[in-house]
Amino acid sequence: MPYQRLQSTRILPVLRPVSLSCAPKSRGPISYKASFVLRRWSSNIPEISTIPSPEKPYYITTPIFYVNSAPHVGHLYTLILADVIKRWQQLLGKNSIMATGTDEHGMKIQQAANAVQQNPRHFCDAAAETFKAAREANISNDHFIRTTDQSHRDAVHYAWHMLNERDYIYTAKHEGWYSVSDETFYPGSAVEPRIDPATGRKNMYSMETGKIVEFTSELNYHFRLSAFRDRLISLYKDENPKFVLPQMRHAYILQQLVSQPLADLSISRPCERLTWGIPVPHDKNHTIYVWLDALINYLTVAGYPFTPGLESAGGWPADVHVIGKDILRFHCIYWPAFLIALDLPLPRNILTHAHWTMNKRKMSKSDGNVVNPTLALSRFGVDTMRLYLIHDGGLMDDGDYSNEQVIERYSKQLQGQLGNLLNRVSSKSFNVGDAVIGGAGRPWAQAADGNHFTIPGNAELGQPEWNLTEDDQLQIAALFNLPRQAIEMMEPDRYDVPNALKEIMKIIFQTNKYISDAKPWQMAKALKELPLELGESGIQKQKQELRKVIYLCAEGLRMVGILLQPFMPEKAPELLNRLRVRDDRRGVEWALKMGKDIEYGQGMTKSKSVLFPPLDIYE
């Protein structure tokens, strides 16, 4: 049953009556009362029932994207990466939910709206629609959250109250270098002067992101981030040594934590500087820091504040956050610290990925080297772009986008390999259904070396023993090993999605090589010309050889079709349909064993349409 977000009538899971009826301890010159929490959530509170807690769904998220500019190929890559993982979990039979959305608060949004002389809310409404259009890439997100949603505002206020009640919030004067682009303060050790080549002006820049910073001094609320340094080090060293993926970025964050102290974090801005955001509860003079606001979105989607007994009903803790490498600090240091302070469980993994360049240079509108994702999807097709971005994108190293490379992947891998293999196997010269009957269900076994197999006959099915050539052995080894390797790469604590796809593609390459070497079309032709004196047994032996080759090729197609479904949600099901694979036999477990499906291929005929027609790239 699809998960439905809990409505605003909720049971407070942590607050005690004394906390609700009394003002919190003074936090300095700026203070407020917490009674808003009682007023908002205490009316009509249902009684706590003894209904068993529902099973936690698998929960995956993307970052919520800034709406100050149009979606780009980097956004599309993040969405597709998360979508592939979500669909993979569904292939495993798990109830899986995916959340994405838009980050609509902060100085960048305020300035962007002012630049076009629009009300910020109207500006965000229009911009959010452009990000919702990402469904053009067949993204199967279950939630699209906007930080301007009332439910999110309520969740942020509740989290603020809990942090304040636990004395993790105080007020102090804050001085530092602020980047509007990054929406964060940097210490003096993290900035440097540079000359802007376009204007010749000297500015201060963030050494980490290269964005302009300005010195700011203001009275703000602060979060006691420094108190969590030892716990964060323990998290990275001992509690979850695979918290951040790939491992190189986990090691980087740990090194940052060990090598330098953590400064407390400014978590508000004065309203005279920033008005567009969620106000600090009962303090109209301050706006909540955009990153605290934004990160809470992952909890909002999961139904925070949680009803006792239903804390995991909406998916929390998240199984994996998928993010770009440019927002590591916010997700890998600030976010776990906030969650620990809120006494909430941490996500299992944070999967980080690299960026996209063009012509080996960072994409930039001013330089004219940007990719319009909507245009690319329309030009090359949804599944083509999904395969290209996953195959050529990087988790560790940046991918370099090229239209020519997209076309090459389509023509060589999809048309030339997968499409051509389907055309060969579904030839009128072959009977796939007959080959499946002759090959499936055999009690086959793997030799000790892992590369050789014995496949005896099955008397009950009337199947004679197969005589396996070295080429047959190589094909069977590929069908046995490559699906397992791809599945292992997709497991939690690893999520090596690009290399999992490459392992799946190897099955296609190997099967094409096998069918090219075996030349079953010549075998079929020769069968028609066999002399009668060869005898019935000799003719049957030749027919059995042909069935064996076609079966081993059909099995490659079947396994690939199953495993490619998360990557190519349109073409992979079409491939399985042509193979006559039943809908209830398309889960990952059906790709784990050769011969598991003994019924597909029956009544299969060559389709008049090709799976991958020529690209009309000159439209």
Side-chain angles (χ1 to χ4, degrees), residues 29-47:
I30 307 173
S31 65
Y32 59 92
K33 292 184 178 181
S35 59
F36 79 95
V37 179
L38 178 62
R39 290 199 304 273
R40 189 175 300 281
W41 282 292
S42 64
S43 62
N44 301 319
I45 293 178
E47 294 184 3

Side-chain angles (χ1 to χ4, degrees), residues 89-278:
Q89 293 299 317
Q90 290 178 317
L91 276 191
L92 292 171
K94 296 182 181 179
N95 177 24
S96 305
I97 57 176
M98 173 183 166
T100 189
T102 45
D103 186 354
E104 302 180 10
H105 292 142
M107 187 67 74
K108 282 198 293 190
I109 311 302
Q110 183 173 299
Q111 291 180 351
N114 290 340
V116 293
Q117 298 181 338
Q118 282 191 9
N119 174 284
R121 179 62 197 229
H122 294 160
F123 176 86
C124 291
D125 287 344
E129 291 303 314
T130 66
F131 281 89
K132 288 181 180 180
R135 295 187 81 91
E136 295 173 2
N138 216 336
I139 304 300
S140 60
N141 59 291
D142 305 271
H143 299 276
F144 189 96
I145 184 172
R146 299 176 57 186
T147 54
T148 49
D149 292 342
Q150 183 61 49
S151 59
H152 178 68
R153 182 188 180 106
D154 293 346
V156 172
H157 275 177
Y158 185 82
W160 182 282
H161 168 75
M162 297 308 302
L163 293 173
N164 187 72
E165 281 293 295
R166 295 171 181 187
D167 203 28
Y168 290 127
I169 295 177
Y170 67 94
T171 57
K173 185 177 182 180
H174 188 89
E175 292 186 337
W177 296 93
Y178 191 79
S179 166
V180 172
S181 180
D182 298 332
E183 295 283 15
T184 190
F185 279 99
Y186 290 102
S189 60
V191 300
E192 64 183 6
R194 297 181 190 173
I195 302 297
D196 183 347
T199 65
R201 294 178 181 174
K202 184 177 181 180
N203 297 309
M204 297 298 291
Y205 291 83
S206 161
M207 296 165 62
E208 179 181 346
T209 65
K211 304 297 185 181
I212 291 179
V213 296
E214 297 178 351
F215 190 79
T216 302
S217 177
E218 54 196 34
L219 182 66
N220 291 343
Y221 287 97
H222 287 68
F223 171 70
R224 299 184 191 276
L225 182 63
S226 58
F228 296 90
R229 179 170 177 263
D230 290 344
R231 175 62 197 281
L232 290 173
I233 290 174
S234 176
L235 166 67
Y236 278 84
K237 272 189 173 181
D238 307 312
E239 297 172 33
N240 189 352
K242 295 184 178 179
F243 182 55
V244 176
L245 304 170
Q247 193 62 34
M248 57 176 283
R249 295 202 180 96
H250 183 99
Y252 169 77
I253 293 294
L254 178 58
Q255 189 273 333
Q256 293 289 303
L257 289 168
V258 170
S259 64
Q260 55 193 12
L262 274 182
D264 287 349
L265 181 66
S266 172
I267 55 171
S268 75
R269 300 297 307 277
C271 282
E272 62 263 23
R273 295 182 184 272
L274 175 64
T275 58
W276 183 240
I278 298 176

Side-chain angles (χ1 to χ4, degrees), residues 346-370:
L346 302 181
R348 176 168 177 171
N349 296 124
I350 299 177
L351 176 63
T352 68
H353 65 76
H355 290 166
W356 282 90
T357 60
M358 181 177 277
N359 301 321
K360 303 297 183 182
R361 293 185 297 121
K362 183 178 179 180
M363 291 191 185
S364 168
K365 287 183 180 179
S366 58
D367 292 341
N369 62 329
V370 292

Side-chain angles (χ1 to χ4, degrees), residues 387 391 409 412-414 416-418 421 424 475 478 482 501-517 556 560:
L387 179 130
H391 188 280
R409 288 275 173 258
K412 289 187 176 180
Q413 294 191 356
L414 296 181
Q417 291 282 340
L418 182 54
L421 179 60
R424 284 174 155 183
Q475 175 67 5
L482 294 176
L501 174 59
K502 289 169 185 173
E503 291 300 298
I504 297 168
M505 297 304 292
K506 286 179 183 177
I507 302 173
I508 302 171
F509 303 152
Q510 163 58 31
T511 305
N512 257 316
K513 182 179 186 305
Y514 173 70
I515 198 171
S516 294
D517 292 343
V560 164

Side-chain angles (χ1 to χ4, degrees), residues 543-558:
K543 286 183 176 180
Q544 186 62 30
E545 281 296 304
L546 177 60
R547 291 192 191 102
K548 177 187 67 176
V549 171
I550 296 304
Y551 176 68
L552 292 178
C553 293
E555 275 293 88
L557 279 170
R558 182 184 69 84

Side-chain angles (χ1 to χ4, degrees), residues 285-337:
N285 296 316
H286 276 254
T287 302
I288 294 175
Y289 174 49
V290 66
W291 271 104
L292 174 58
D293 166 3
L295 289 165
I296 296 294
N297 97 86
Y298 303 129
L299 293 173
T300 305
V301 168
Y304 183 78
F306 304 125
T307 300
L310 297 175
E311 291 88 351
S312 63
W316 196 261
D319 291 86
V320 59
H321 294 315
V322 180
I323 66 169
K325 65 180 182 179
D326 56 325
I327 49 177
L328 278 181
R329 184 153 48 103
F330 308 104
H331 283 80
C332 303
I333 296 179
Y334 298 172
W335 183 224

